Amino acid sequence: MRILTGFLLSLILAGGASAARAGYTPDFDSGIDVRLAIEAALEAASSAGGLLPEPQGRPAPETVWVSMEKSDVAALDGALFKRAPVAQNKRIAIYEYETDRLAALADGMQRSFYRAPGFFAHDTLESALEDLKAPPAVPSRAYTLDQAARVRDLAARVKEEPVLAVINAMSAFKNRGSRYATGVDASKWLQKEWAKFASGRSDISVAPFKHAAFPQESVVLTVRGAVEPEKVVVIGGHIDSVAGYGDTPAPGADDNASGAAVTQEAIRVLVESGYRPSKTLKFIGFAAEEAGLRGSADIAAAFKKEGVQVEGMLNLDMVNYKGSEKDIYFVTDNTSADQNAFLGRLIDTYLGYTWGTLKCGYGCSDHASWTKNGYPSSYAFESTFEQHSPFIHKPTDTLGSCGGSAVHAAKFARLAAAYAAELGK
Ligand code: BES
Ligand code: ZN
């Protein structure tokens, strides 16, 4: 179980919380009633930007197990790593680490690589050792393209204005961090917006996916398949944002209001067109990606445990900053090469955009959670790795920093709709 934000934030902000709006009723899967604790903390709060406290009953342990890329360790300040790893493979090393030094480690990562936190913290060694295992092999499958009329209809319906509206609304929440009251609000807001698409359609439902370890909920819109409902296609992106710790505004317009907005636009055109897919489509706004892929880790693991047949997953994270020559880039590591090739064919056949590839070099977003659980996943991205938006994880990640338009994002909405139609058929 990943526990990163919990410990980091509770240490750094010393339990501070304020400005949570009245009427918030947390409801955790774990069955722990944290309302009293939250109320007490809110009363005692000083001024830490609406941060909600740790759920009761999860005291911070003194040590955790951190898994990190070895190349990162080598490049970091040696003072952070005067110790031998307790386990390692070619790429990843695991260290026992004092909880109260995690903040310094995250800070070192941010200064060296502009990645925060850039490592995973686990509360047991057993959980950390999972990170050393190769992900389960994904069985190969055939991808066919024969839904031309459907795809062209959907692509023609995509508009920039609804995408802009979602980016504006989401980036207006001061900080969508998974432990912030405003992060909880943003998730609730998206649930309400998506619920509008379910009215008048008995095959469409919207539900939160609740997480035991943090209050922000993931948002799931399901279009139940008309022929093979047990087969599921997942499309989504994270809804949380980050910009350092504490009271800093984190508009996260590109990272990742843009991906959530594109996910919603794909839903909107599918509903508007009256499309009824054969397979089940699940559109998901993932909570707590910036805290270490925690929302998607919970969901993908739950799906695997329940034996859900996920036909494919498309991750949309940072899709509105046109930093490079080509239109769409696919991440080639921690993704399915077969499905990436299928997405390239979708573009060539129906959309006519230019596309390229990039590598993250680490499990940089929610696609990695699906790969880890043996599901074919892909990650469509705005640019090359080097030319991505320089504003992310800062208060300057605004729509204005993306040129104030959604021209770039709209391409990804067309791709998502095409993917839904050809994989969901
Ligand atoms: N959208 C980013 C990932 C990203 C950034 C991909 C730049 C390509 C270029 C994502 O939200 C993020 O910030 N991920 C974290 C890692 C995660 C495990 C916390 C990161 O990159 O530090
Ligand atoms: Zn990010």
Side-chain angles (χ1 to χ4, degrees):
M1 169 109 212
R2 283 160 184 171
I3 45 87
L4 194 82
T5 27
F7 297 141
L8 273 183
L9 294 179
S10 59
L11 287 162
I12 295 165
L13 292 160
S18 72
R21 76 248 176 298
Y24 165 58
T25 314
D27 175 17
F28 297 100
D29 270 355
S30 58
I32 299 165
D33 186 345
V34 297
R35 272 167 297 193
L36 290 178
I38 288 178
E39 269 155 32
L42 288 175
E43 265 175 38
S46 48
S47 63
L51 190 74
L52 297 170
E54 279 292 285
Q56 236 176 6
R58 295 174 63 84
E62 281 166 16
T63 61
V64 291
W65 283 267
V66 164
S67 65
M68 283 188 83
E69 300 281 334
K70 282 179 169 175
S71 52
D72 291 350
V73 176
L76 278 173
D77 174 5
L80 291 166
F81 275 101
K82 279 192 197 145
R83 64 190 71 203
V86 292
Q88 59 185 307
N89 65 15
K90 248 169 87 181
R91 205 166 53 83
I92 293 165
I94 292 171
Y95 298 87
E96 192 171 353
Y97 221 85
E98 299 75 36
T99 314
D100 60 6
R101 296 192 67 230
L102 283 178
L105 183 57
D107 195 50
M109 286 297 288
Q110 176 67 24
R111 272 186 280 116
S112 304
F113 308 112
Y114 295 104
R115 274 161 48 199
F119 57 82
F120 295 111
H122 301 258
D123 50 8
T124 65
L125 176 58
E126 191 193 2
S127 167
L129 290 173
E130 291 279 311
D131 286 358
L132 298 182
K133 291 186 190 156
V138 176
S140 68
R141 52 160 297 150
Y143 292 93
T144 55
L145 272 66
D146 49 25
Q147 301 290 304
R150 170 71 60 199
V151 172
R152 291 192 202 289
D153 172 65
L154 292 169
R157 291 174 188 275
V158 167
K159 291 193 273 202
E160 284 155 43
E161 181 264 314
V163 178
L164 286 172
V166 177
I167 296 176
N168 272 321
M170 287 186 73
S171 46
F173 291 93
K174 184 174 173 189
N175 190 318
R176 301 193 306 279
S178 54
R179 287 182 179 277
Y180 285 73
T182 45
V184 173
D185 289 345
S187 163
K188 295 281 187 200
W189 176 81
L190 197 67
Q191 285 171 49
K192 276 209 181 116
E193 289 299 302
W194 287 14
K196 294 177 191 166
F197 297 112
S199 75
R201 285 275 301 254
S202 60
D203 58 332
I204 302 184
S205 56
V206 177
F209 187 106
K210 295 176 186 181
H211 303 278
F214 47 87
Q216 185 178 58
E217 296 169 343
S218 295
V219 184
V220 185
L221 181 142
T222 304
V223 185
R224 199 179 56 252
V227 183
E228 296 182 290
E230 69 287 356
K231 296 188 176 165
V232 176
V233 176
V234 177
I235 296 171
H238 72 91
I239 59 172
D240 62 321
S241 67
V242 73
Y245 299 103
D247 208 14
T248 323
D254 188 41
D255 184 11
N256 183 35
S258 68
V262 159
T263 303
Q264 178 171 315
E265 183 60 2
I267 298 169
R268 195 190 67 75
V269 299
L270 285 160
V271 171
E272 186 186 84
S273 74
Y275 178 47
R276 301 207 175 227
S278 301
K279 295 174 189 156
T280 294
L281 306 179
K282 280 190 185 281
F283 296 89
I284 308 183
F286 300 107
E289 187 269 354
E290 302 287 8
L293 320 183
R294 299 183 75 186
S296 59
D298 277 359
I299 297 173
F303 279 23
K304 189 181 173 189
K305 200 170 153 210
E306 288 159 20
V308 178
Q309 291 180 51
V310 177
E311 296 284 298
M313 188 271 171
L314 175 62
N315 182 33
L316 300 157
D317 180 3
M318 295 171 62
V319 293
N320 200 30
Y321 179 88
K322 192 172 185 312
S324 303
E325 199 191 313
K326 291 175 179 164
D327 296 312
I328 293 176
Y329 290 79
F330 295 106
V331 171
T332 57
D333 52 340
N334 292 295
T335 57
S336 154
D338 287 350
Q339 188 178 261
N340 294 344
F342 165 60
L343 284 157
R345 282 173 57 212
L346 280 178
I347 294 178
D348 295 342
T349 309
Y350 300 127
L351 304 174
Y353 300 136
T354 53
W355 60 271
T357 61
L358 77 151
K359 255 193 181 143
C360 265
Y362 58 102
C364 61
S365 184
D366 295 311
H367 60 288
S369 297
W370 300 85
T371 301
K372 200 170 168 179
N373 284 284
Y375 296 128
S377 82
S378 297
Y379 179 7
F381 189 70
E382 63 193 13
S383 65
T384 64
F385 192 85
E386 294 73 23
Q387 294 174 314
H388 71 74
S389 165
F391 302 104
I392 65 161
H393 299 182
K394 294 181 191 139
T396 46
D397 182 5
T398 60
L399 181 62
S401 298
C402 293
S405 103
V407 176
H408 202 47
K411 300 167 194 166
F412 293 79
R414 294 185 188 100
L415 176 63
Y419 175 78
E422 285 288 13
L423 203 58
K425 71 192 174 200

